[in-house]
Structures are given as structure tokens and as C-alpha cells.
Amino acid sequence: AHVKAMKTSQIIVLVFSMGSLVIFITNQEGVDKDQNELLYYKNVFAMRRRRLEAVCTKYNSSAANEHSSLYQRKQPVNKCTARYFEVKGKQVFMCNVLKGGSTSWKSFFQQNKIKTSLLADCENCPKESSMKIVQVRHPLERLLAAWRHIFKNGGWKSLEDDVISHPELFKKYEALYSNINWSHFVEEVVLKDKFSQTESELDNLNGAGVWVKLHWAPYWFTCGVCSEDLVPDIILKTETIQQEISFVLDELEIPGGAQSPPVTLIWGN
């Protein structure tokens, strides 16, 4: 039977399982990082892709509870976090998760004058891409960033369409989102799924609470990384992007002086 919703406790297990795909490989057989940095990172990205494919294969069984969510979703990609861009004739598809570098890449495209099209605004986007990119972030770092942005700093105010369109509803949402500290967020909101919603509800980007919850939704839900035609060629890590970006710029033939995506890490603060 089709599983219409997965509890966050199950999702968290998948988040941490798939989080292991971003482990930085420091021992590349036959490759000296100092002597051939581009070849080094080419191997790193190849190993990350193989790790992702192995994790996806693990859940590619109709007997697995996660199977329908991973392989049978009608909309495998969040159309407002995925974008296409073209550089020197190369069509590139990039999918960002919220609190996983999406704002940094927006700044990168603006600074380097690269025109992009969100999937939601792109009816005639190319079916095939020369390169598919996903940027990931340590799961705990991302959860902490989501909590600080949405609850501690009140970021929910700009995420709820109801509040923006109907200011009289502000008190209702303020009562829902206020006074949620870090412990409450982890134990009640994430692990006990306080804002429980089905997958079909989460696909409705205009629905109440959807943009809030997507800030900690896993990569397979936002970017469909287990779908055969969406498996990324390059998996970037937010924590090490400053070292890895040179390979991407070289592959896309973007001049070495291009601005790299700015990164702000908060772990330990």
C-alpha cells in the first residue's frame, strides 16, 4: 500500500543514514591532493555518488516502508529550490535544500551574473543536463540553523502566506511558533512530529506550515536524489565548499576569479 506520510522519527533515521554519504574522503588511493587537487576532488565526488547510490539501493525494496516515499512520489523535486542555469553551453541542474546553502548560491549567481530559472518558473527547461549538483550540510548543523532562523529569530513571519495576506492571523501563528527552544524543537517538533503533515500536503507549497517544515525536510524529499534521472553528479558539502568549489568552477569553465558562495557555519556557537 502507498505510504501517504512518514513520521519524522522515520525521516530522521533516513536523514542520518543519508547524511553518511557526505563523509569527506581523506584517503584517495593514488591521488596526492597537493599535486593534483582537481583530480583529488573528482575522486571525492565519485565516491560520494557511489555512497548515495548504495544508500538508495538499500531502500529500493517494495517491502521497505520508505520505498513509496523515495520512488513513487508524484513530485520528486521541490520546484522552488531546484533551478537550471547555463554556462558556456552547459546545462546545469542544481537542487538546494533550505538551510543547506540555497541563499549562498543565490548570492553566487547574482555576483557572477549567471542567469538562473527556478523549476517552478521554467516550463521549457531542458530535459537533460550536463551536470546535476546537490549541496548538503551536516544534519545537526542544518537542524540548528533551521531552529535559529524560524523560531529563535522569528523567521516564520515571512514564511506563512496566511500571516502575510491576513495580518489579523498573526496572534494565532505567534502562539504556535513562539517559545520553542532548542530542546523542545528537537524532542517535540522533529522527533514527535508536532507539525504532522502528509507528503501530499508538503507538496502544496502554499499550505500552512509547509515552508516552515521544509527547512528540515530531508534531501530525498526536497531533491529526489534517489530518482534515477536526478542522482547528482556532484555532492557538495557546505562545510568544505570553499575547498571544493574550484573543481566545480573548472568543470563549468567559470573563471577562477569568480566569487565563491559565502558560507556561515554556526556549529558550536
Side-chain angles (χ1 to χ4, degrees), residues 18 21 28 35 38 56 67 109 139 144 173 202 231 235 242 258:
M18 300 193 74
L21 68 90
Q28 294 295 321
Q35 292 183 3
L38 293 179
C56 290
H67 181 267
F109 292 128
L144 181 58
Y173 284 97
L202 287 174
V231 178
I235 300 171
Q242 296 299 332

Side-chain angles (χ1 to χ4, degrees), residues 151 176-177 180 188-189 193-197 212-213 216:
F151 301 106
L176 181 65
Y177 293 131
I180 295 181
E188 301 296 328
V189 177
D193 201 16
K194 180 178 179 180
F195 304 140
S196 179
Q197 288 167 310
V212 168
K213 195 166 183 178
W216 59 89

